[in-house]
PDB file of all heavy atoms in Angstrom:
ATOM      1  N   GLY A 319      14.622 -52.522 -18.616  1.00 98.00           N
ATOM      2  CA  GLY A 319      15.933 -51.866 -18.338  1.00 98.00           C
ATOM      3  C   GLY A 319      16.481 -51.278 -19.651  1.00 98.00           C
ATOM      4  O   GLY A 319      16.982 -50.100 -19.623  1.00 98.00           O
ATOM      5  N   ARG A 320      16.270 -51.962 -20.771  1.00 98.00           N
ATOM      6  CA  ARG A 320      16.667 -51.437 -22.102  1.00 98.00           C
ATOM      7  C   ARG A 320      15.902 -50.151 -22.434  1.00 98.00           C
ATOM      8  O   ARG A 320      16.429 -49.228 -22.979  1.00 98.00           O
ATOM      9  CB  ARG A 320      16.461 -52.545 -23.150  1.00 98.00           C
ATOM     10  CG  ARG A 320      17.264 -52.269 -24.431  1.00 98.00           C
ATOM     11  CD  ARG A 320      16.317 -51.719 -25.472  1.00 98.00           C
ATOM     12  NE  ARG A 320      16.941 -51.585 -26.811  1.00 98.00           N
ATOM     13  CZ  ARG A 320      16.690 -50.729 -27.744  1.00 98.00           C
ATOM     14  NH1 ARG A 320      15.702 -49.764 -27.500  1.00 98.00           N
ATOM     15  NH2 ARG A 320      17.270 -50.743 -28.878  1.00 98.00           N
ATOM     16  N   MET A 321      14.592 -50.173 -22.177  1.00 98.00           N
ATOM     17  CA  MET A 321      13.812 -48.990 -22.430  1.00 98.00           C
ATOM     18  C   MET A 321      14.251 -47.768 -21.647  1.00 98.00           C
ATOM     19  O   MET A 321      14.367 -46.695 -22.159  1.00 98.00           O
ATOM     20  CB  MET A 321      12.317 -49.315 -22.178  1.00 98.00           C
ATOM     21  CG  MET A 321      11.307 -48.219 -22.617  1.00 98.00           C
ATOM     22  SD  MET A 321       9.629 -48.669 -22.243  1.00 98.00           S
ATOM     23  CE  MET A 321       9.475 -50.185 -23.154  1.00 98.00           C
ATOM     24  N   ALA A 322      14.496 -47.945 -20.350  1.00 98.00           N
ATOM     25  CA  ALA A 322      15.001 -46.822 -19.509  1.00 98.00           C
ATOM     26  C   ALA A 322      16.337 -46.330 -20.070  1.00 98.00           C
ATOM     27  O   ALA A 322      16.595 -45.090 -20.101  1.00 98.00           O
ATOM     28  CB  ALA A 322      15.115 -47.200 -18.042  1.00 98.00           C
ATOM     29  N   LEU A 323      17.208 -47.256 -20.422  1.00 98.00           N
ATOM     30  CA  LEU A 323      18.508 -46.841 -20.957  1.00 98.00           C
ATOM     31  C   LEU A 323      18.321 -46.057 -22.242  1.00 98.00           C
ATOM     32  O   LEU A 323      18.974 -45.075 -22.468  1.00 98.00           O
ATOM     33  CB  LEU A 323      19.376 -48.097 -21.273  1.00 98.00           C
ATOM     34  CG  LEU A 323      20.702 -47.883 -21.907  1.00 98.00           C
ATOM     35  CD1 LEU A 323      21.642 -47.037 -21.018  1.00 98.00           C
ATOM     36  CD2 LEU A 323      21.313 -49.140 -22.338  1.00 98.00           C
ATOM     37  N   GLY A 324      17.408 -46.432 -23.115  1.00 98.00           N
ATOM     38  CA  GLY A 324      17.161 -45.758 -24.349  1.00 98.00           C
ATOM     39  C   GLY A 324      16.736 -44.290 -24.177  1.00 98.00           C
ATOM     40  O   GLY A 324      17.260 -43.406 -24.782  1.00 98.00           O
ATOM     41  N   VAL A 325      15.866 -44.081 -23.185  1.00 98.00           N
ATOM     42  CA  VAL A 325      15.496 -42.702 -22.871  1.00 98.00           C
ATOM     43  C   VAL A 325      16.664 -41.918 -22.288  1.00 98.00           C
ATOM     44  O   VAL A 325      16.858 -40.767 -22.627  1.00 98.00           O
ATOM     45  CB  VAL A 325      14.329 -42.653 -21.862  1.00 98.00           C
ATOM     46  CG1 VAL A 325      13.929 -41.236 -21.439  1.00 98.00           C
ATOM     47  CG2 VAL A 325      13.062 -43.317 -22.508  1.00 98.00           C
ATOM     48  N   ALA A 326      17.400 -42.551 -21.362  1.00 97.00           N
ATOM     49  CA  ALA A 326      18.552 -41.796 -20.768  1.00 97.00           C
ATOM     50  C   ALA A 326      19.596 -41.443 -21.844  1.00 97.00           C
ATOM     51  O   ALA A 326      20.122 -40.322 -21.788  1.00 97.00           O
ATOM     52  CB  ALA A 326      19.218 -42.810 -19.766  1.00 97.00           C
ATOM     53  N   LEU A 327      19.900 -42.348 -22.727  1.00 97.00           N
ATOM     54  CA  LEU A 327      20.863 -42.037 -23.793  1.00 97.00           C
ATOM     55  C   LEU A 327      20.284 -40.915 -24.779  1.00 97.00           C
ATOM     56  O   LEU A 327      21.084 -40.066 -25.206  1.00 97.00           O
ATOM     57  CB  LEU A 327      21.180 -43.257 -24.619  1.00 97.00           C
ATOM     58  CG  LEU A 327      21.985 -44.297 -23.848  1.00 97.00           C
ATOM     59  CD1 LEU A 327      22.264 -45.552 -24.671  1.00 97.00           C
ATOM     60  CD2 LEU A 327      23.361 -43.707 -23.342  1.00 97.00           C
TER      61      LEU A 327
END
Side-chain angles (χ1 to χ4, degrees):
R320 195 262 187 207
M321 188 179 300
L323 175 65
V325 174
L327 290 177

